[in-house]
Amino acid sequence: MDHESPPSGPGQRQLPTDLSLDQAAVLRSASPRKKLRLIRAACETSDLEALVALALSPLGLVEDDGRRRAWPILLGQHDALRRSDVVCAEAKSRASGAPSSGAQPHRAEHQVRLDVDRSFIFYPSDLPSKELERRKEELARLINALLQRYPFLHYFQGFHDICQVFLLVLGLDEALACVPRLCLTRIRDFMLSSLTPALAQLTLLPDILRAEDPQLCLHLAHTQPYFALAATLTLYAHDVQGYKEIARLFDALLAQEPVFSLYLFATIIIGRRDELLEIPPEEPDMLYSILCKLPQHLDLDQLISSSIRLQAAHPPESLRAWRRISRYSVLKTARSAEQAARLSSDDGAALFQKQSVEMESLRRRQEVITALWRYRRPAAATGLAILMGMMAWWLRSNTRISTSLLQGHNVPLPSFLQPIVAFFAKGR
């Protein structure tokens, strides 16, 4: 697999808009019972293309029974599940708290415990206290097993919200197999040592808005797109409070490329156009506060279909900020559900390391630039002193030229001094 030049052209993706009219009509009109039969049939043959179309159609994968079969296939885990008894046994051993060879506590255990303690707030509701504690212990085991198995991954607050959804839908055993693939192939940018790549993704939002609604984009020009961080970082699990709704949204997110999450948020903003335009642009704090919170009631089927159309109209490669996204980012290495499913965990780990090296290089470069800017005045004075010393040495070495200067004659500077003098003359 070539990591250096991941395919990124618009022809590489298969969107549901590519379905024939007959196929689209069948999916739109299919009853939940018929959809479940179609989902089971697609899962039996591991038909990824069919599952993508089903997940993006109205009602998505309908219910958790279909999701338990389909999500592993959408994540590319289905083949591994058939031949990974040893891996699954190791994962179960970790999850049960049994010691395993080389397992060490990870650096985020305390934060994981804090986050797990405040999990399961909105769903499932009305759980007996003992059952709630059991769920929390399973969630802690799921996250700790992942971070022990892949110690280079960095935990972020809100990751427990994602894992909570996978745990409730798939159960602990399947979640132990699927969540690592999610981390390495779809949300890898969020698990680096800093949030810089996650913030870089958000720079695409203004470009999407500018392409679709220039007036709204201009209205929000003084509001940084960081308002979308919590939602996109947690795949909306932090903001969507209904279990059926977040499970339905995960159907779509797993059936699309990772950048689709940003088109979803852009569609939500566009849907609030009238509300946002009523607020003066000179009040960016108020705009930011409103944009940080998702609307309470979202028509998810309409939101998903509108987001698909928005991405088809303004694909990522047409956006100005796209070229500043790292070539190792999940946004560029997983340009479709099919491509993400083909990536192995080793591929994801290798891309993680390359992006880490690139990120560290950029950080050091920025530190040098910042230091040079901070000390630009002392540096200029030092440079001028060096220039004067070089000229003094040159004059001492050329007594005839010194005499000519004292007599008022024009003397050309040597070639090695001309660009230096020109630089300081320009800076002055």
Side-chain angles (χ1 to χ4, degrees):
M1 174 184 159
D2 182 6
H3 297 313
E4 303 299 324
S5 303
S8 59
Q12 299 292 336
R13 301 186 313 279
Q14 293 295 321
L15 296 174
T17 48
D18 296 328
L19 293 172
S20 71
L21 293 176
D22 290 342
Q23 289 173 309
V26 167
L27 292 180
R28 279 196 300 268
S29 62
S31 66
R33 183 175 296 180
K34 182 174 182 179
K35 281 201 74 175
L36 284 172
R37 287 201 300 269
L38 293 171
I39 292 165
R40 282 194 290 270
C43 290
E44 286 173 3
T45 58
S46 298
D47 189 339
L48 184 59
E49 185 176 354
L51 284 175
V52 166
L54 287 160
L56 295 171
S57 64
L59 300 181
L61 297 172
V62 185
E63 59 184 40
D64 286 356
D65 181 61
R67 293 183 179 106
R68 277 190 286 273
R69 298 165 181 261
W71 282 13
I73 298 174
L74 290 171
L75 285 165
Q77 183 64 28
H78 54 294
D79 290 333
L81 285 173
R82 296 191 186 115
R83 54 180 171 77
S84 61
D85 294 337
V86 174
V87 173
C88 286
E90 179 190 0
K92 290 178 183 178
S93 174
R94 290 180 186 275
S96 66
S100 58
S101 58
Q104 297 292 331
H106 59 83
R107 55 183 171 266
E109 279 195 1
H110 178 65
Q111 186 60 55
V112 169
R113 186 72 260 172
L114 292 175
D115 288 347
V116 166
D117 285 343
R118 50 178 172 254
S119 61
F120 302 105
I121 299 298
F122 299 112
Y123 51 80
S125 58
D126 302 324
L127 275 183
S129 57
K130 286 186 178 180
E131 177 65 12
L132 179 60
E133 287 306 310
R134 184 183 70 81
R135 298 271 189 174
K136 288 183 177 181
E137 284 305 312
E138 287 185 340
L139 181 59
R141 291 170 184 172
L142 171 61
I143 297 172
N144 289 329
L146 169 79
L147 297 176
Q148 287 169 352
R149 185 176 177 187
Y150 299 100
F152 54 84
L153 295 176
H154 292 259
Y155 178 81
F156 61 89
Q157 285 186 270
F159 179 64
H160 71 289
D161 292 315
I162 298 174
C163 291
Q164 175 180 302
V165 178
F166 272 84
L167 180 64
L168 291 173
V169 171
L170 300 180
L172 181 58
D173 292 346
E174 295 286 350
L176 282 164
C178 289
V179 168
R181 283 200 56 79
L182 177 84
C183 295
L184 292 169
T185 64
R186 287 179 165 271
I187 61 168
R188 190 175 61 244
D189 292 15
F190 305 155
M191 307 199 77
L192 288 152
S193 58
S194 84
L195 286 178
T196 301
L199 297 176
Q201 289 191 15
L202 298 183
T203 62
L204 297 173
L205 261 179
D207 282 1
I208 299 170
L209 293 175
R210 186 179 299 110
E212 180 66 16
D213 191 333
Q215 182 187 2
L216 181 57
C217 180
L218 182 63
H219 189 76
L220 301 176
H222 299 295
T223 307
Q224 294 296 321
Y226 305 143
F227 50 73
L229 182 62
T232 54
L233 194 68
T234 63
L235 303 183
Y236 298 85
H238 181 73
D239 296 86
V240 176
Q241 298 179 6
Y243 175 67
K244 289 183 178 179
E245 289 76 14
I246 191 58
R248 167 70 187 100
L249 196 54
F250 269 41
D251 291 344
L253 291 169
L254 296 180
Q256 282 282 47
E257 57 179 304
V259 77
F260 182 66
S261 177
L262 294 165
Y263 285 91
L264 274 173
F265 206 98
T267 303
I268 293 171
I269 295 174
I270 293 167
R272 307 177 76 178
R273 186 180 197 275
D274 293 342
E275 175 190 3
L276 294 169
L277 290 178
E278 288 178 358
I279 301 170
E282 296 79 17
E283 297 186 22
D285 290 344
M286 185 177 294
L287 287 167
Y288 189 94
S289 177
I290 290 173
L291 289 165
C292 278
K293 300 173 184 175
L294 296 187
Q296 285 297 311
H297 303 288
L298 292 170
D299 183 341
L300 292 181
D301 287 335
Q302 181 61 42
L303 172 63
I304 291 164
S305 61
S306 296
S307 301
I308 290 168
R309 287 193 295 270
L310 182 63
Q311 182 174 349
H314 312 291
E317 55 273 10
S318 71
L319 306 176
R320 188 167 55 186
W322 181 250
R323 57 180 174 268
R324 295 195 294 273
I325 300 295
S326 168
R327 60 179 170 171
Y328 305 122
S329 165
V330 292
L331 300 191
K332 290 188 174 178
T333 61
R335 291 304 317 277
S336 67
E338 292 86 351
Q339 190 178 4
R342 286 196 301 269
L343 287 170
S344 69
S345 296
D346 288 342
D347 291 333
L351 289 165
F352 182 99
Q353 297 303 331
K354 289 182 178 182
Q355 195 170 0
S356 295
V357 170
E358 179 186 69
M359 193 170 67
E360 177 63 18
S361 175
L362 290 173
R363 186 189 64 80
R364 290 180 179 176
R365 187 185 309 169
Q366 187 59 45
E367 284 182 351
V368 170
I369 293 172
T370 301
L372 289 174
W373 179 253
R374 183 182 303 151
Y375 298 111
R376 63 191 183 282
R377 292 182 183 276
T382 302
L384 184 59
I386 293 172
L387 171 63
M388 298 302 294
M390 292 175 69
M391 290 192 69
W393 169 81
W394 178 65
L395 289 172
R396 284 197 304 270
S397 303
N398 297 272
T399 54
R400 181 178 59 79
I401 294 176
S402 302
T403 303
S404 298
L405 285 171
L406 289 172
Q407 293 174 353
H409 300 302
N410 290 328
V411 177
L413 288 173
S415 58
F416 74 91
L417 282 176
Q418 288 174 4
I420 302 175
V421 173
F423 172 80
F424 281 101
K426 184 178 180 181
R428 189 179 66 186

